[in-house]
Amino acid sequence: MGNNLVNKNNHKTSILYVHYGDDWIRGSEVVLLDLLILVKQHGYYPVLWCNSAILANKAASLGIEVIIDNFVCLGYWTQPKWDFLQYFKLLIKAKQLIEQYKISLVHCNNGAPCQWMTPICKLTSTAILLHLHAKYLYRDRLTLLFNSADSIIGVSHSVIAPFKQNEFKNQQVNVIYNAIEPSRALTSNPRDIRAEFSARDSDFVMLYLGSLITRKSVHQILFALASLKNNKIKLAIFGSGSEKTNLVNLVKKLDLNSRVKFFLPTDNVASIYSSNADCFISVPSEEVFGLTLAEASIAKLPIITSDIPGINEIYSHNTNALLVPPNNIEKLAYAINTLIDNPRLRNRLAKNAHQHILKNFTLQQQIKAFNHAYQSLLNKKHSLELLKMCLLQLKSFCSAIFNKTLAYLLLKISWRKSHD
């Protein structure tokens, strides 16, 4: 790991992976690390350029060449919004990396790096693939220059569903589902969560593992738990995030201190999934895949989760999980009671989900799909396209401004007519 730009690879196809994120290892970082190992095993030479020290250290420990830098985006939600100097430094660095490592293809592991990688990829005639782990607003897709990528991959159909008709008519747009590494969910040394919770054999222990942020809606689980008024139902929460203080206060307010316990986050998630909890529960208001759900299924935990796009692509209600409408405390409480009262249902859901995930979300399937995507781009001639990219972006921005103005004028005209 470091800032050296010496190309250590002279024969394998070099791929530059660029990741912009917070200093943690969660969903998209987990998927990236698995992919880096896979491509290395399949004859590629991966190089990682990122802004996260934690991710950089983990990748370096896996034998991946890593460069770490301070990333910025112009006009995006992250701060600073207008650091033009650093942005131009990233453009220069991107060109250096492509030249020094003899990069044949750039893989942006989320949307932000696309803003500085696409101009350089067009300048150097390098193929660029955009791998999306979240939904992006139309405004963000414009400012981050998505329509200049050669290929766009979503981790589910819910990621690409918001795209406007013909928005990306010049690129390949496909879905490659995340793969699940079984070792992240299985271990021969599981934690005894029931003992740590002082739970009796007759207690029903639910497990939540994930980020404690607003869209994960952990507070909904707490409200459902309070409505059940059953002291034998326990909730073990593993995670960290901006909502933790609010959740701790809510537990006190709802008088759930004896029924809810917050555990310290740990990197050894397999010991948690493989523990003696009775079910896994996660009811996000928005999700594009649900990596923790799939990992819990590998560990044969029955699942209660939200019936929302992204998740209902992976799970089917009453077949391999119980799906409940988001933000519906009554139906969530009913689902919890249903699992408690029906051990046969728990076993059937857990068995079906386990087989489903193992069969359809394997590392072999993922690398096969990405290898096909990579080869399609590598076999395509990428001529000098910087001017073409600039014209395409100008056209996209003008079209967006025109449509926005037209919609505003039509709204004003309609308002006037209805109030004459």
Side-chain angles (χ1 to χ4, degrees), residues 220-257:
Q220 296 288 330
I221 306 175
L222 299 179
F223 282 123
L225 195 59
S227 72
L228 289 170
K229 301 186 185 304
N230 183 344
N231 290 329
K232 291 187 176 182
I233 308 175
K234 313 289 186 181
L235 175 63
I237 299 176
F238 287 83
S240 60
S242 57
E243 283 296 297
K244 183 170 183 178
T245 300
N246 291 335
L247 292 171
V248 170
N249 292 334
L250 183 59
V251 166
K252 294 177 182 177
K253 182 179 178 181
L254 296 175
D255 194 24
L256 294 174
N257 290 290

Side-chain angles (χ1 to χ4, degrees), residues 17 82 96 125 183 186 194 226 239 270 283 299 308 393:
Y17 291 82
W82 305 107
Q96 288 178 331
S125 301
S183 64
L186 300 173
R194 304 184 78 87
V283 288
I308 55 175
Q393 288 300 140

Side-chain angles (χ1 to χ4, degrees), residues 67-102:
I67 301 94
I68 186 167
D69 260 310
N70 175 34
F71 288 167
V72 297
C73 278
L74 299 181
Y76 196 47
W77 305 104
T78 53
Q79 298 294 334
K81 280 189 175 185
W82 305 107
D83 191 344
F84 286 96
L85 179 59
Q86 182 60 22
Y87 178 76
F88 284 115
K89 286 181 179 179
L90 290 176
L91 293 175
I92 295 170
K93 186 67 166 286
K95 188 172 183 294
Q96 288 178 331
L97 290 173
I98 288 173
E99 292 173 349
Q100 297 298 324
Y101 282 99
K102 296 181 172 58

Side-chain angles (χ1 to χ4, degrees), residues 276-406:
N276 47 7
D278 292 298
C279 81
F280 188 88
I281 186 167
S282 177
V283 288
S285 58
E286 181 181 327
E287 192 67 82
V288 295
F289 183 82
L291 194 64
T292 58
L293 297 170
E295 290 171 343
S297 291
I298 292 290
K300 297 184 179 180
L301 286 172
I303 303 291
I304 298 175
T305 189
S306 301
D307 188 2
I308 55 175
I311 290 179
N312 56 24
E313 284 183 49
I314 313 301
Y315 289 95
S316 300
H317 176 61
N318 215 32
T319 298
N320 44 38
L322 291 185
L323 304 184
V324 298
N327 304 314
N328 191 318
I329 296 169
E330 182 180 351
K331 290 193 175 181
L332 177 56
Y334 180 79
I336 294 171
N337 263 339
T338 299
L339 274 194
I340 293 173
D341 296 338
N342 197 332
R344 287 187 178 182
L345 175 64
R346 295 203 299 270
N347 292 334
R348 177 171 63 81
L349 293 177
K351 180 181 178 181
N352 289 346
H354 177 77
Q355 294 174 345
H356 171 61
I357 298 299
L358 283 180
K359 179 181 178 181
N360 297 295
F361 302 93
T362 67
L363 295 172
Q364 292 75 18
Q365 289 168 320
Q366 186 188 46
I367 188 59
K368 182 179 179 180
F370 269 111
N371 184 56
H372 181 268
Y374 291 163
Q375 291 302 317
S376 295
L377 291 176
L378 291 170
N379 292 330
K380 180 182 177 183
K381 185 178 180 181
H382 296 272
S383 57
L384 191 66
E385 296 178 329
L386 184 59
L387 179 59
K388 182 180 176 181
M389 187 206 83
C390 293
L391 293 174
L392 178 61
Q393 288 300 140
L394 180 61
K395 178 183 177 182
S396 299
F397 279 111
C398 290
S399 177
I401 294 170
F402 174 78
N403 291 333
K404 189 80 172 177
T405 304
L406 181 60

Side-chain angles (χ1 to χ4, degrees), residues 1-2 19 22-25 29 32-33 36 48-69:
M1 183 173 67
H19 178 87
D22 292 310
D23 200 22
W24 59 33
I25 295 180
E29 291 84 8
L32 174 60
L33 289 169
L36 289 171
L48 174 62
W49 188 22
C50 68
N51 68 322
S52 165
I54 293 176
L55 176 62
N57 289 331
K58 181 63 177 178
S61 73
L62 299 173
I64 306 298
E65 184 76 17
V66 181
I67 301 94
I68 186 167
D69 260 310

